[in-house]
Amino acid sequence: MTTALTRRVLIFELIIAPLLLGGARPWAMALLALLVAIALVGQIIHQRKSPECGFSNAMRGICLAGGIACVWLALQALPIWPSSLTLPFQTTSLALAPARTPDAVLYGMWLGAIVMLGAAQNDLKNQLAVICRALVASAVLQAAIAFVLFAIDAPGTLWFVKTVHINDFTGTFANRNAFCALMAAGLFACLYLWQRPTGTLRDKLDRHGGWLALAILLFLSALASHSRAGILALIMGSLIFIWLAIPGRNRAKTLALLATVIVMTGAVFATPALTARFAQLARRDWLQRDDVWQSAITAIMHRPLTGYGPDGIAVALQYFASPGLNTQARWASSHNLWLDGMLVLGVPVFLLISGLVGYVIISALRNMARQTITRPQFALVMAVLTAFLVQSLFDGIAAMPAVILPVLIMVGLVIHPYQTAHAPASSRLPATSRPAA
């Protein structure tokens, strides 16, 4: 019963987070966090009553990383720091916007809680299929909203009039990159649901061809977003999925990879608005990514140990702006998730947290890679992680709740094999195939 409740909460979050402006507003985050907290309390109570269901060492590592981040964010906001550490700003705390600390701490706790709820699911194969169906439903809903708004020539999203990304598909998001990231995650889920059943290509097309059709629909919606980083992440993730999902090294795999590259690249060139955006990369006076990255690196070098706290990125980038940066715009992100993390937390804490999380994820993925039975699941998770990592190099929007939610859930599902309660040695079922509690 408890497992079913947590699964329903995760499905609800996948659907509702994109509708709530991606969950990026404080009120939206509060709603998302409230439901997750209720489910998490129920799961903890269940585990206390069932000693055989304990949190794994991997989950403890995730909780430790989240705890370090939350405690450090709170310490940054306290007025206890000497002026020598708060330079070059005349403030009483390390955080340049201490009022935003509660929101940042809540977000950090929500991130960890989502992973914990994902790890509470006992059947990787079946639970991942359920999550993928919900992810596809969420992506298709956003694509439908974007298409309807485009068809009726609406000047904005469902919630407000857009001032940027006017001719781009964004759904209920305010940003085309976030919309494209959700389309990519939905596409990978479609490929997994189509690839998962065994059988010949003809059988799959006959019985499960609908998933392939939805994947094409989501790819076309991603093209209509005109997001360069999102399309690049989608293509890279698709190639990783095909490479890992098809066993061995044979002609079928080579042809599938070649066909994917040709079709997707051709579709990009066949989209004039997207092609024009890629062509703009050659204009240094047009692109600001290099200038904002340079400004971010300069800001990090001035405070490498302490960081600037949540919502301090805009002030730091404005102060350390490079000569070519447009200071008329409010740069709330350096358009690189990793630079944003170092700006907020400082280099030591950011590396410590990244190391803990990275070690847990890599260990879990190595465990999956050794098992032939989990090949489709491994391909899906690697595709989602690859797309996330690629997009995070060019856009800070990867930290948006609706965008990072599929990654968190799949990380939780992946680390489940490290649960303390393993299947009995006499059982012929693998630990990842036990029936749900």
Side-chain angles (χ1 to χ4, degrees), residues 12 34 61 71 94 104-105 118 120 130 197 235 277 306 316 354 408 433:
F12 181 80
L34 177 62
V71 170
L94 296 176
V105 171
V130 173
I235 294 175
R277 294 203 71 237
T306 61
S354 299
L408 297 174
S433 300

Side-chain angles (χ1 to χ4, degrees), residues 190-404:
C190 286
L191 294 179
Y192 170 74
L193 292 170
W194 179 74
Q195 174 70 20
R196 188 170 65 102
T198 58
T200 64
L201 178 61
R202 178 179 297 180
D203 291 338
K204 288 184 179 181
L205 289 175
D206 183 48
R207 299 181 182 180
H208 309 285
W211 295 119
L212 200 57
L214 286 177
I216 295 173
L217 172 66
L218 295 179
F219 175 64
L220 294 177
S221 300
L223 289 175
S225 71
H226 306 141
S227 169
R228 291 172 300 207
I231 288 296
L232 179 61
L234 185 151
I235 294 175
M236 294 299 297
S238 299
L239 295 177
I240 289 295
F241 181 88
I242 294 172
W243 176 262
L244 295 175
I246 301 178
R249 295 185 180 182
N250 48 45
R251 182 177 299 177
K253 175 184 287 190
T254 303
L255 290 177
L257 289 171
L258 184 60
T260 300
V261 172
I262 293 175
V263 170
M264 289 189 169
T265 305
V268 170
F269 281 107
T271 308
L274 186 56
T275 304
R277 294 203 71 237
F278 274 106
Q280 291 169 359
L281 295 175
R283 294 181 53 183
R284 293 186 60 84
D285 61 324
W286 190 275
L287 186 67
Q288 290 276 294
R289 288 288 198 279
D290 53 344
D291 293 304
V292 72
W293 290 341
Q294 180 181 343
S295 304
I297 292 173
T298 303
I300 292 170
M301 291 175 63
H302 278 79
R303 270 202 196 180
L305 301 179
T306 61
Y308 298 89
D311 210 34
I313 296 177
V315 179
L317 292 180
Q318 180 80 14
Y319 187 89
F320 295 104
S322 64
L325 187 66
N326 177 17
T327 55
Q328 299 302 316
R330 185 179 186 274
W331 296 91
S333 168
S334 66
H335 286 276
N336 182 297
L337 184 62
W338 313 105
L339 291 179
D340 283 354
M342 287 184 278
L343 281 167
V344 171
L345 299 171
V347 176
V349 174
F350 176 78
L351 292 180
L352 176 60
I353 294 172
S354 299
L356 284 171
V357 175
Y359 175 78
V360 168
I361 295 176
I362 291 173
S363 298
L365 290 175
R366 289 178 62 186
N367 181 67
M368 286 187 70
R370 297 190 188 103
Q371 304 178 38
T372 305
I373 194 174
T374 58
R375 176 181 292 274
Q377 292 82 10
F378 180 65
L380 171 64
V381 174
M382 286 301 298
V384 171
L385 287 175
T386 298
F388 172 76
L389 292 174
V390 170
Q391 189 158 6
S392 67
L393 294 175
F394 304 100
D395 200 348
I397 207 70
M400 178 180 286
V403 175
I404 201 172

